[in-house]
Amino acid sequence: MGAQWKAKHKDLAANAKGRLFGKLAKDIMIAARHGADPAANARLRLVIEQARKVSMPKDTLDRAIKKGAGLTGESVHFEHVVYEGFAPHRVPVMVECLTDNVNRAASEMRVLFRKGQLGTSGSVAWDFDHLGMIEAEPTDAKAGTDPEMAAIEAGAQDLEAGEEDGTTLFYTAPTELDLVSRALPAHGFTVLSTKLGYKPKNPVAPDSLSAEQLEEVEAFLAALDANEDVQNVFAGLGG
């Protein structure tokens, strides 16, 4: 499952693509608070690259940049809220929300977690490591770049194969995310995305669940991911 749960074949559904654009637009607006020029704003530059990778329309992208930078006269205010709990069959879940209405988000989380169990702060977080996560790919695919050597030299704590072929997910201490992301290019890797996230310490093995139980977990996670306030879903489910 990797560090972050993602719906299977999510990119094939038009409504899922729309949700993805919505999540990226929030990331762009937040990054643009520190300046609308991607050349001078590394975080904005990375999010723009992610948006282009999934073919976000240019006018949508430009509007999000201007709105976040305060160039449209509109006020943009999102609060970051984390919810903890369990999916069906005791699969631990961390849910990150960016919302302009905390009361609405809390109410909707209570409804969504009826098929699982909504926990209190700290009830599930102990079973996850809070880490910096950097998705990167070799700058030159033919150069035979060694991800493990790059991780050591750039200062990453750990690594694993990324979700896309040829990519690597590097893990860092939260405070070293920017430092490592800026070091990786010198060691043969192009950074595709950076974020802070949650990696499960004791993931539930999928083969310990029946096909029906696994389907229930997937449906629960998909419902969370479809919520407009939910930015990231991290599930303690093995790959």
Side-chain angles (χ1 to χ4, degrees):
M1 195 62 62
Q4 180 179 352
W5 178 84
K6 293 186 179 178
K8 292 177 180 176
H9 312 303
K10 168 176 180 178
D11 58 332
L12 300 181
N15 63 339
K17 197 123 192 174
R19 291 198 302 272
L20 177 59
F21 290 163
K23 293 176 194 292
L24 281 168
K26 284 185 181 180
D27 282 338
I28 290 167
M29 283 187 271
I30 289 171
R33 289 176 183 173
H34 303 287
D37 181 7
N41 184 338
R43 181 178 177 187
L44 177 60
R45 187 166 62 250
L46 279 171
V47 183
I48 288 173
E49 287 173 4
Q50 292 175 55
R52 286 174 175 161
K53 187 178 178 182
V54 295
S55 303
M56 175 186 273
K58 188 176 185 301
D59 60 339
T60 303
L61 194 158
D62 290 342
R63 188 165 57 247
I65 293 173
K66 290 176 182 176
K67 192 172 180 181
L71 302 177
T72 62
E74 298 174 78
S75 175
V76 178
H77 179 69
F78 292 116
E79 290 195 50
H80 178 258
V81 190
V82 178
Y83 294 93
E84 307 175 29
F86 292 93
H89 313 294
R90 302 298 290 175
V91 173
V93 180
M94 299 288 291
V95 184
E96 286 188 327
C97 294
L98 280 176
T99 180
D100 57 3
N101 188 324
V102 174
N103 290 333
R104 179 193 66 218
S107 175
E108 291 178 355
M109 285 300 111
R110 284 194 292 271
V111 171
L112 288 166
F113 269 93
R114 283 177 183 168
K115 293 186 177 180
Q117 180 184 342
L118 185 61
T120 56
S121 179
S123 61
V124 171
W126 63 270
D127 202 22
F128 286 80
D129 287 318
H130 189 219
L131 299 167
M133 300 175 178
I134 303 168
E135 183 186 12
E137 64 182 3
T139 304
D140 182 354
K142 297 178 181 178
T145 309
D146 183 352
E148 291 189 7
M149 187 59 67
I152 293 169
E153 294 178 346
Q157 290 186 348
D158 201 358
L159 75 160
E160 65 180 43
E163 295 200 359
E164 302 292 332
D165 287 345
T167 64
T168 299
L169 189 60
F170 295 92
Y171 293 105
T172 77
T175 56
E176 295 179 352
L177 176 61
D178 184 57
L179 186 68
V180 176
S181 66
R182 285 190 284 113
L184 279 170
H187 302 290
F189 277 85
T190 298
V191 174
L192 303 174
S193 68
T194 67
K195 69 170 64 178
L196 294 174
Y198 296 88
K199 182 183 181 185
K201 296 178 183 177
N202 304 291
V204 174
D207 59 11
S208 70
L209 303 174
S210 68
E212 183 179 349
Q213 289 173 329
L214 193 57
E215 192 172 313
E216 288 174 5
V217 174
E218 288 280 351
F220 177 85
L221 297 175
L224 285 176
D225 189 61
N227 182 272
E228 66 173 316
D229 288 324
V230 172
Q231 200 70 359
N232 297 301
V233 177
F234 299 94
L237 191 62

